[in-house]
Amino acid sequence: MTVPTTEDTAGDRTGAGAYRVLVLNSGSSSVKYQLLDMSDRTRLAVGLVERIGEETSRLVHTPLLGGGAETRERTGRIADHEEALRAAAEELAADGLGLDSPRLAAIGHRVVHGGLRFTEPVVIDEAVLEEIERLVPVAPLHNPANITGIRTAQALRPDLPQVAVFDTAFHTTMPEYAARYAIDTETADAHRIRRYGFHGTSHAYVSRKAAKLLGRTPEEVNVIVLHLGNGASASAVAGGRCVETSMGLTPLEGLVMGTRSGDVDPAVTFHLMRVAGMSADEIDALLNKRSGLVGLCGDNDMREIRRRVDAGDERAALAFDIYVHRLKKYIGAYSAVLGRVDAVVFTAGVGENSAPVREAAVAGLEELGLAVDADLNNVRSGEPRLISPGYARVAVAVVPTDEELEIAVQTFALVGPDGGGDGQDGGGGGRPDGAVGEVHN
């Protein structure tokens, strides 16, 4: 296979050596990518290929060299992930950043489910791929797409290290009493049924940045992280280690999400089978795609829901109240799990941008030491910041997540020429306007 070529002189900050990492996030019908220069942790380009396999596929690419961000867009059918990655390679080559570049050190892949075997990033070989494939039954929507992205990238650059960074890895430090469900042990073990947790790269990155914001090391602080996007999850992080998280065997458990129900009585499934005659697949689709905010009020965009709430829409108001009520329950529960909480941290699309959600989630929790300063809460910024008043016993913070940088840091630390450092400082700055954000489970 031929990869688009380039002279590859643009953006070379190091003069020699391979210091770039391409981060790929392959979904079932999309590929998000970012190219980062790990010598200073800056982005060279970002892009998205969406609606793969449809007639109206779309590629959006933003080069970031020289401080500019002039987005290019093209539409037309992109048949599969191989064609999508080739199209992305062509866009990168047009900027002097082709995949054949000697500056490219590795490709880092987001892999949603790593089970218990993968507690750290790994260089991908056939044995690793086989294990990721064995986990498909517990991640049927995500791992197959991740595998497709990996195999496509391997075909394009078979000589280059490919690294898997797992959403579940950060949560493997949970104690057994937090990770196990109270069901028959033999059945659970035979079918790998336990709480795995997801959004781990985000929780790892944000908990470290929160510690830095407090002027302390991760080992010194206990933090509750609320990753609130279309997919949403909470984690309790004690001394830099996850001890509890809201998502479970799959990303369905826990908080109310854009289209997912979150916590629900398992007997609802049996009830729908017996009374409504629904199949397992129909119930799966209901709970994952037609529940959560969209099921409650028809919208899963928090901005639109808040607009409707402000206009007096009772259905939207109830959906908002249910969403916030679940958040409060988890803040309270994780405060009990941790014993001492130094910060509650909001991140991801809703967490970073919705002041009403942050205010409502903390309201009434003064006895837990939590409060929000209205003026600080209403400030819009891409920087980590405190939004609690000075007298609050527990800090409340907003920390923009950066899953792509976290994946790049972990990838480069594993295969970079000099090692990529421990990732303690993240860095790299926020996304420019038009840059592609994160994909939520």
Side-chain angles (χ1 to χ4, degrees), residues 317-382:
L318 178 59
F320 182 82
D321 289 346
I322 292 171
Y323 183 92
V324 168
H325 178 69
R326 190 76 58 84
L327 281 175
K328 285 179 182 286
K329 284 177 65 176
Y330 271 88
I331 293 171
Y334 286 2
S335 294
V337 167
L338 290 170
R340 187 199 81 244
V341 180
D342 298 294
V344 173
V345 190
F346 292 86
T347 193
V350 175
E352 294 169 27
N353 296 301
S354 181
V357 165
R358 297 191 296 259
E359 179 182 9
V362 172
L365 301 182
E366 290 80 9
E367 288 298 318
L368 296 180
L370 293 162
V372 163
D373 181 287
D375 292 335
L376 294 175
N377 189 37
N378 286 319
V379 170
R380 294 188 66 86
S381 171

Side-chain angles (χ1 to χ4, degrees), residues 72-279:
R72 301 193 298 268
E73 182 175 334
R74 54 165 142 161
T75 57
R77 179 173 169 76
I78 295 176
D80 52 30
H81 283 70
E82 179 177 337
E83 189 176 336
L85 194 51
R86 285 184 172 282
E90 290 171 2
E91 294 296 331
L92 289 166
D95 301 321
L97 302 168
L99 294 194
D100 66 330
S101 168
R103 304 284 179 253
L104 190 59
I107 298 177
H109 298 266
R110 177 197 183 220
V111 178
V112 167
H113 215 309
L116 290 180
R117 174 173 170 182
F118 298 116
T119 61
E120 297 176 333
V122 293
V123 175
I124 299 167
D125 58 18
E126 277 305 310
V128 169
L129 273 171
E130 287 171 8
E131 181 64 18
I132 295 171
E133 200 147 13
R134 277 196 288 270
L135 290 162
V136 165
V138 289
L141 298 179
H142 301 99
N143 275 30
N146 302 153
I147 292 167
T148 299
I150 290 167
R151 291 205 179 276
T152 302
Q154 285 178 326
L156 288 172
R157 280 298 305 268
D159 60 312
L160 202 65
Q162 313 269 338
V163 174
V165 179
F166 298 92
D167 270 11
T168 49
F170 182 65
H171 304 302
T172 58
T173 57
M174 281 191 294
E176 197 70 358
Y177 57 76
R180 276 199 176 266
Y181 293 109
I183 65 173
D184 172 66
T185 300
E186 289 185 7
T187 301
D189 290 346
H191 301 286
R192 305 187 185 199
I193 299 171
R194 62 187 291 116
R195 174 171 287 109
Y196 292 100
F198 300 89
H199 296 146
T201 52
S202 177
H203 287 282
Y205 177 85
V206 169
S207 59
R208 285 201 316 271
K209 295 292 279 189
K212 184 179 181 184
L213 184 64
L214 298 178
R216 299 162 74 181
T217 68
E219 293 73 23
E220 294 176 306
V221 298
N222 291 351
V223 180
I224 297 172
V225 178
L226 302 172
H227 176 111
L228 308 180
N230 192 47
S233 60
S235 68
V237 183
R241 295 167 60 85
C242 177
V243 296
E244 178 64 281
T245 193
S246 59
M247 286 180 167
L249 173 71
T250 76
L252 179 61
E253 188 180 359
L255 303 176
V256 175
M257 306 177 219
T259 66
R260 296 191 192 113
S261 63
D263 293 338
V264 68
D265 183 345
V268 168
T269 300
F270 315 136
H271 179 76
L272 290 173
M273 285 179 172
R274 293 166 183 152
V275 176
M278 295 177 68
S279 68

